[in-house]
Amino acid sequence: MGTDKPHDFTALGSSPDRYLLTPAQIAAYDRDGYLVLPQVLSDAELGPLEAVFERFIRGEVAGMGRDFCDMSGPYGRAFEDFNLVNAVLPRVYEPALVDNVFERRATSIAQQLMGADATLDYDQFLAKRPQRAGAVFAWHQDLGYWPSGTPDTRTVTCSLALDDATLENGCLRVVPRSHLEQALRPHRPSAWSTSPELRAEAHTLTVELRKTDQVVALPLARGSITVHNERIVHGSAGNQTDGWRRTYVIAHRSRQTVTYERSIGFTHSHNDTINWQTHLEALEV
Ligand SMILES: O=C(O)CCC(=O)C(=O)O
């Protein structure tokens, strides 16, 4: 890792806030449903963000309710038992994050991929604990978690590696071009939530992989990002290493979509009353 050529922020059209994509990268995103972009943030830029990230991941931010949870298991697990520590909407709980350098670069990337009305919809901190086989992000399509009636579903999700992401620590894996399928795949509650008493607590959903799916792993150097479409099938495996795998996620959608979803009470908070449970009912699971 770390052998990527540095991104040239002085190139024509680039600026400290603008990460300029090439036409080939934009075409690859449309074709494959994902991109890997090297060196979006430098070590010096990552430092202050990491300090905030750590406070969240240690559980030191009060008042989050279900927005601080284990993304690999039921709500209500003891903190020590979290495998995949998940802090949703950190910018809501810590406004100092608003307009940080990653937000600005993610907005510039999203605007190049989906148009000038790309607006920051939600953010998320994810951290896989060392030596946790259970730190699995089940296969899913992001859209499977969101309200089914939204007219414009376009989403650009940027995931920034705070640690090198590797096969061993459970880097992101995608099924290229699955975003082009006509219909969303059926989403089911994850295996751990199939018992009746846990069913009410289901917040992770999963899709079946098909025999024809060709999975591609996306190892990533610290400071680099993956970008993915809301319909691509993706997930990640457990962490078999002695280190953490920490990721900072920012998703952009059209301004109209964000306004519409807020109007029906959907904010991406796990404390929302309209949530994936509502969506599960819509899917008749
Ligand atoms: O990075 C990962 O392990 C999975 C994250 C993910 O599924 C997402 O951001 O939608």
Side-chain angles (χ1 to χ4, degrees), residues 4 20 72-73 78 82 97 110 139-140 162 180 183 214 218 237 273 284:
D4 296 318
L20 191 68
S72 71
F82 286 20
L97 283 167
W139 292 106
H140 67 283
L162 299 183
L180 299 175
Q214 301 208 330
L218 305 179
T273 51
E284 293 177 7

Side-chain angles (χ1 to χ4, degrees), residues 32 44 61 249 254:
D32 299 330
V61 177
V249 178
S254 73

Side-chain angles (χ1 to χ4, degrees), residues 9-238:
F9 281 102
T10 63
L12 190 64
S14 277
S15 76
D17 287 344
R18 189 165 155 79
Y19 186 104
L20 191 68
L21 302 179
T22 64
Q25 285 171 322
I26 295 171
Y29 181 77
D30 290 340
R31 184 189 63 228
D32 299 330
Y34 74 96
L35 269 182
V36 175
L37 299 176
Q39 311 214 329
V40 174
L41 262 72
S42 68
D43 244 3
E45 290 166 332
L46 289 169
L49 295 177
E50 266 179 307
V52 181
F53 187 101
E54 286 300 317
R55 279 203 291 114
F56 276 89
I57 293 307
R58 286 196 299 258
E60 292 170 8
V61 177
M64 295 185 71
R66 289 182 161 190
D67 285 342
F68 184 67
C69 64
D70 184 356
M71 209 49 208
S72 71
Y75 292 121
R77 255 187 188 167
F79 177 50
E80 316 77 72
D81 296 331
F82 286 20
N83 296 314
L84 176 42
V85 186
N86 176 33
V88 196
L89 303 179
R91 73 198 304 271
V92 170
Y93 296 97
E94 178 45 273
L97 283 167
V98 171
D99 201 36
N100 74 61
V101 60
F102 178 41
E103 287 196 355
R104 295 195 299 272
R105 289 193 191 142
T107 299
S108 117
I109 290 162
Q111 288 180 341
Q112 292 168 78
L113 291 173
M114 63 173 276
D117 68 339
T119 301
L120 198 154
D121 185 16
Y122 72 92
D123 59 344
Q124 185 173 15
F125 291 161
L126 290 169
K128 293 190 176 187
R129 279 211 166 108
Q131 294 295 354
R132 295 289 177 113
V136 170
F137 213 124
W139 292 106
H140 67 283
Q141 293 161 294
D142 292 339
L143 203 50
Y145 277 91
W146 300 339
S148 46
T150 301
D152 173 5
T153 64
R154 289 172 306 142
T155 312
V156 171
T157 301
C158 295
S159 303
L160 170 69
L162 299 183
D163 302 297
D164 287 352
T166 62
L167 289 178
E168 294 74 24
N169 69 11
C171 66
L172 186 64
R173 298 192 292 167
V174 297
V175 179
R177 305 188 186 194
S178 50
H179 69 302
L180 299 175
E181 292 167 8
Q182 288 273 312
L184 208 58
R185 298 189 187 187
H187 283 65
R188 312 264 165 214
S190 301
W192 58 264
S193 59
T194 50
S195 73
E197 61 281 7
L198 287 178
R199 181 71 174 276
E201 295 294 285
H203 69 288
T204 64
L205 302 176
T206 190
V207 296
E208 295 285 329
L209 284 192
R210 297 176 179 158
K211 283 202 190 89
T212 49
D213 286 339
Q214 301 208 330
V215 173
V216 171
L218 305 179
L220 202 61
R222 170 176 158 85
S224 299
I225 72 168
T226 57
V227 188
H228 71 264
N229 171 292
E230 75 281 5
R231 286 178 165 271
I232 195 165
V233 174
H234 63 287
S236 60

